[in-house]
Amino acid sequence: MSHPPRTDRDRRALWRSPLRGPWLTSVFGLVLLFGIPVLFVTGLLSYAAYNPDLSPVNDETPDKGLLGFYLFSWPTDPYWLYRVTQGVHVTLGIVLVPVLLAKLWSVIPKLFAWPPVRSVGHGLERLSLLALVGGALFEFATGVLNVQLDYIFPGSFYPLHFYGAWIFMAALVVHVALRFPRMVRALRSRDLRAELRTRASDTRPEPPDETGLVSPAPAAPTMSRRGALALVGTGSLALLVVTAGQSIGGALRTSALLAPRGRNPGRGPNGFQINKTAMAVGIRARDIGPEWRLVVRGAGRETVLTRERLLRLEQHGAALPIACVEGWSTSDQGWEGVRLADLAALVGHAERPPKVLVESVQRHGSFRSVVLSDSQVRDPRSLLALKVNGADLSPDHGYPARVIVPGAPGVHNTKWVGRLTFGEMA
């Protein structure tokens, strides 16, 4: 502090690792260049799965404008689609965290370059880097916090993550356009197999070049580039092991140490994971007790059903999982109940059942209602479920009745249903 660096070279000399250089940075960048577009596409698919064009009830991102151009009606086949796409999104995002941190470590001298702005063009480039680095940290941080249900950031996760993704991707496209030729040259400058055979004692700094990543005063190596790649790869592999089980299921579920809901949901027919308990959303005993009624409306008609009357209607079964936006999913569960299409027929929609507004009796919390598309209603596997795996639903799984729809996000499989409104009123 008594002798602050006066030149850019002096500042870069503060970062003395002999591993830093265009080649190592480009290796980390190449991994991210393949992984981040997959995250972006699966994220868009997750947003599309909410069918936000159906109703403002479904849309957590107001004023999306042209950013909603890709939206389409989410299909019910294959029924495991959302389970796969969201599982990939969350698992890959967590696995890439060590790579992202290593990439930022490798370029940290550039973040403190002096002077910070040398020209208008350089200033615009630095601004894009601010959006790139800030966007990356924001997207990964909010994604990990959402998986852990730690909503310490202001506002709703959905619009923050959605708009943050578009800002980040715009900055990434600019960065790749500017840096891709340089990255290719850097990757070709050294042989990967040779680097993987080089020990720490034989590791040498990369030749100085215009990137400014190579230290002008490198320290003696304490790790080889092979060791650095192995360290990052091992970190990613470890995160894969403790994350992927929550999406894959089976015996691997016990390895999902990062799963936020506990790895032992109990035994018996209702012994599978849940997102929110009845207590957490304010469900009272009288809300789901003997006085509970299901109100079904549509085509100017209304009918009120007790649970006993629902059980006397024709019952159907479907083997479907529950897959949530946080990345966890269940295995296929055996649901039994009344088809949504049959309930639509009770109120005058027998031929071509329309969309439906599903409303829960829960007192507070998000996703108390949802609009399902006509194609979701018409799928014979879409049920107002009354039982699961041969037993009555437990209160935490939505007793006395819940919706189960193939391919829908978990929050659209509304629990504690109190009203169904079919048609344009939805």
Side-chain angles (χ1 to χ4, degrees):
M1 292 298 292
S2 61
H3 301 284
R6 298 181 179 181
T7 66
D8 186 45
R9 177 182 174 86
D10 292 336
R11 288 177 179 270
R12 289 190 290 111
L14 296 174
W15 313 100
R16 301 189 62 197
S17 172
L19 303 185
R20 284 194 182 91
W23 183 83
L24 188 62
T25 295
S26 297
V27 171
F28 294 138
L30 184 63
V31 175
L32 294 173
L33 188 59
F34 280 98
I36 288 176
V38 175
L39 290 180
F40 186 63
V41 171
T42 52
L44 294 183
L45 290 175
S46 177
Y47 181 65
Y50 284 71
N51 283 325
D53 276 356
L54 275 178
S55 167
V57 170
N58 293 14
D59 196 354
E60 293 287 324
T61 55
D63 304 321
K64 60 185 180 292
L66 293 177
L67 301 184
F69 71 92
Y70 56 86
L71 297 178
F72 54 92
S73 183
W74 189 251
T76 56
D77 278 312
Y79 72 90
W80 41 259
L81 180 61
Y82 189 75
R83 182 182 184 187
V84 170
T85 59
Q86 193 60 16
V88 168
H89 181 77
V90 170
T91 302
L92 179 60
I94 291 176
V95 165
L96 287 180
V97 167
V99 184
L100 175 67
L101 295 178
K103 175 68 161 59
L104 294 177
W105 169 86
S106 72
V107 299
I108 196 169
K110 296 289 290 181
L111 301 180
F112 293 93
W114 192 265
V117 178
R118 295 191 295 268
S119 65
V120 174
H122 184 249
L124 293 175
E125 181 184 352
R126 298 284 286 180
L127 186 61
S128 71
L129 284 177
L130 177 63
L132 179 69
V133 175
L137 293 175
F138 179 82
E139 285 299 290
F140 278 82
T142 54
V144 171
L145 288 171
N146 179 61
V147 168
Q148 296 300 320
L149 302 180
D150 290 330
Y151 300 112
I152 60 176
F153 41 83
S156 171
F157 165 77
Y158 297 93
L160 289 174
H161 204 65
F162 177 81
Y163 292 121
W166 279 106
I167 293 171
F168 171 51
M169 287 304 297
L172 180 64
V173 169
V174 172
H175 184 70
V176 171
L178 293 173
R179 300 297 187 186
F180 188 76
R182 183 178 294 177
M183 184 185 76
V184 173
R185 290 196 302 271
L187 291 172
R188 289 176 175 174
S189 68
R190 306 179 83 85
D191 182 62
L192 176 62
R193 288 176 294 182
E195 290 294 337
L196 294 179
R197 293 193 296 266
T198 302
R199 298 173 298 180
S201 58
D202 298 325
T203 297
R204 299 292 180 266
E206 295 185 45
D209 70 352
E210 72 278 6
T211 64
L213 297 176
V214 180
S215 174
T222 57
M223 177 184 289
S224 66
R225 293 183 182 86
R226 173 182 64 183
L229 294 174
L231 179 64
V232 174
T234 301
S236 290
L237 180 61
L239 289 174
L240 175 65
V241 170
V242 298
T243 302
Q246 68 173 349
S247 301
I248 298 173
L252 290 176
R253 192 173 299 281
T254 57
S255 69
L257 302 179
L258 295 184
R261 286 156 203 84
R263 296 174 299 283
N264 183 13
R267 297 183 179 182
N270 284 272
F272 54 95
Q273 282 181 295
I274 61 170
N275 195 331
K276 298 176 182 177
T277 65
M279 180 180 296
V281 297
I283 295 294
R284 302 166 299 184
R286 62 178 178 271
D287 295 327
I288 57 176
E291 300 303 314
W292 173 88
R293 297 293 185 270
L294 174 70
V295 179
V296 184
R297 296 173 177 171
R301 297 165 59 178
E302 177 179 299
T303 184
V304 179
L305 305 170
T306 63
R307 193 170 190 276
E308 289 70 26
R309 186 178 171 189
L310 284 168
L311 287 168
R312 289 196 296 270
L313 296 176
E314 185 176 1
Q315 303 292 297
H316 297 273
L320 299 171
I322 296 176
C324 201
V325 69
E326 289 94 359
W328 66 266
S329 59
T330 71
S331 56
D332 291 356
Q333 307 296 322
W335 306 93
E336 300 173 59
V338 183
R339 286 175 174 166
L340 294 182
D342 292 344
L343 292 170
L346 293 179
V347 288
H349 292 293
E351 294 300 320
R352 293 182 60 82
K355 63 182 179 179
V356 62
L357 170 63
V358 184
E359 297 175 88
S360 173
V361 299
Q362 74 178 71
R363 301 178 62 80
H364 54 77
S366 58
F367 297 104
R368 285 171 286 177
S369 59
V370 66
V371 175
L372 301 176
S373 69
D374 55 358
S375 61
Q376 289 175 314
V377 172
R378 294 167 190 172
D379 193 297
R381 297 165 294 180
S382 295
L383 305 176
L384 181 73
L386 306 172
K387 297 184 178 183
V388 63
N389 299 322
D392 287 345
L393 297 169
S394 68
D396 287 341
H397 278 300
Y399 181 89
R402 70 170 297 161
V403 163
I404 187 74
V405 176
V411 291
H412 282 194
N413 292 306
T414 308
K415 297 190 285 189
W416 315 291
V417 175
R419 182 181 292 112
L420 298 172
T421 306
F422 293 91
E424 290 306 317
M425 291 183 292

